[in-house]
Amino acid sequence: MLELRLVQGGLLKKVLEAIKDLVNDANFDCSPAGFSLQAMDSSHVALVALLLRSEGFEHYRCDRNLSMGMNLNNMAKMLKCAGNDDIVTIKADDGADSVTFMFESPTQDKISDFEMKLMDIDSEHLGIPEAEFQAIVRMPSAEFARICKDLSTIGDTVVISVTKEGVKFSTRGDIGTASIVCRQNTTVDKPEEATVIEMEEPVTLTFALRYMNSFTKATPLASQVTISLSSDLPGVVEYKVAEMGYIRFYLAPKLEE
Amino acid sequence: LKSQARIARFFRAS
């Protein structure tokens, strides 16, 4: 028996909007620790890892570990029917072939039940080692989204380079080149406007902008994004999900052959 | 010339 009640149901709507275009089908894993998902995009170039810790739910009942295969587009369709302020409860019986999403309006005067068929998904779970990164950049998520969008009008790839001068995003395409440098800036009025660069060593990596742009669909979740980089390793783009967890996007870099 | 790496190159099945 599974019953997860999330008062901030809007968070789940935003989570689905953030990942549904990158991943078609995925297993949601439910354990006493929380509600999680790990899935790769169809090209196996990007991986998304979601964690919503059990403490973040108002009520969290998960009698035994359960893996539920869902089509994320269909799940997003159902969650779109919830109001942004609705309380969302996810319910499933052990061995059931469906999951129920219950939406309660804040004033409790409207209760909706949406039942969605589950599916069998054969997916391998990858071990992601804890890594020390050469550079970690924390910046406003809207700024990062703007940079990715702007650069993708010029080129297909972004070179991200972190030095003590700052973080540089650059691209080149048929019509020319573009380069945007963001410097560390902690003297802002609001902490969410800060850009913080922690650098152990300078690092330069090349990524496909198509994926970066897809990751920025998570922007409504968090005012800040964290980009963690090490040479020749996947870059990690992380958005916090309120106080309860995170969405991490891992993107394999483009490497010299 | 750079080519697109895949995730499996870095993370193995657990």
Side-chain angles (χ1 to χ4, degrees):
Chain A
M1 171 82 186
L2 172 94
E3 200 169 283
L4 319 181
R5 182 175 157 93
L6 183 63
V7 173
Q8 286 180 272
L11 284 179
L12 200 59
K13 285 165 68 87
K14 288 179 187 168
V15 164
L16 261 293
E17 290 306 308
I19 60 179
K20 74 175 169 66
D21 294 336
L22 188 67
V23 176
N24 296 328
D25 305 319
N27 284 314
F28 280 88
D29 297 312
C30 197
S31 77
F35 194 58
S36 64
L37 168 151
Q38 189 200 86
M40 278 189 278
D41 79 294
S42 57
S43 305
H44 290 200
V45 167
L47 180 146
V48 53
L50 164 74
L51 174 65
L52 302 176
R53 292 182 203 92
S54 50
E55 306 89 78
F57 292 82
E58 190 206 30
H59 170 72
Y60 191 95
R61 179 176 171 189
C62 174
D63 296 342
R64 62 185 186 88
N65 290 3
L66 195 65
S67 188
M68 296 185 291
M70 300 193 210
N71 175 288
L72 298 191
N73 250 307
N74 292 344
M75 186 178 174
K77 278 182 199 169
M78 293 208 161
L79 288 171
K80 268 191 178 168
C81 301
N84 288 330
D85 300 328
D86 280 2
I87 299 163
V88 173
T89 302
I90 303 170
K91 293 189 280 190
D93 290 320
D94 289 339
D97 58 1
S98 68
V99 59
T100 298
F101 303 107
M102 182 175 81
F103 312 139
E104 297 167 69
S105 65
T107 48
Q108 305 282 317
D109 52 2
K110 180 180 168 191
I111 313 265
S112 316
D113 273 298
F114 286 72
E115 188 179 310
M116 189 178 81
K117 290 174 191 158
L118 294 176
M119 53 199 292
D120 282 323
I121 299 167
D122 214 8
S123 74
E124 56 179 349
H125 203 266
L126 298 178
I128 301 170
E130 283 292 320
E132 293 283 323
F133 293 98
Q134 288 169 346
I136 299 174
V137 176
R138 187 159 56 79
M139 64 188 292
S141 59
E143 186 62 54
F144 177 64
R146 175 71 199 259
I147 289 169
C148 291
K149 181 166 161 271
D150 287 348
L151 293 186
S152 63
T153 65
I154 312 292
D156 297 329
T157 61
V158 58
V159 178
I160 306 179
S161 185
V162 184
T163 64
K164 59 180 190 301
E165 307 302 320
V167 54
K168 183 168 83 172
F169 302 89
S170 50
T171 192
R172 61 175 57 242
D174 293 341
I175 64 165
T177 65
S179 165
I180 299 165
V181 177
C182 299
R183 297 182 194 286
Q184 172 149 299
N185 179 8
T186 53
T187 58
V188 287
D189 294 340
K190 301 174 191 162
E192 61 265 32
E193 289 168 359
T195 298
V196 180
I197 299 170
E198 294 170 41
M199 189 196 76
E200 296 291 326
E201 283 177 71
V203 56
T204 296
L205 284 163
T206 305
F207 297 106
L209 273 167
R210 183 164 75 85
Y211 291 98
M212 285 293 180
N213 267 316
S214 174
F215 303 163
T216 62
K217 297 216 162 90
T219 304
L221 277 167
S223 58
Q224 290 254 307
V225 62
T226 304
I227 305 155
S228 304
L229 303 172
S230 280
S231 299
D232 296 344
L233 283 178
V236 189
V237 178
E238 176 176 328
Y239 296 85
K240 296 273 184 235
V241 181
E243 299 300 311
M244 66 187 303
Y246 57 76
I247 297 185
R248 289 180 187 149
F249 298 102
Y250 296 82
L251 180 57
K254 286 175 174 270
L255 298 173
E256 303 282 354
E257 275 305 281
Chain B
L1 212 69
K2 293 190 170 182
S3 68
Q4 178 64 60
R6 287 183 168 209
I7 285 291
R9 180 169 175 156
F10 312 96
F11 302 150
R12 298 288 149 78
S14 61

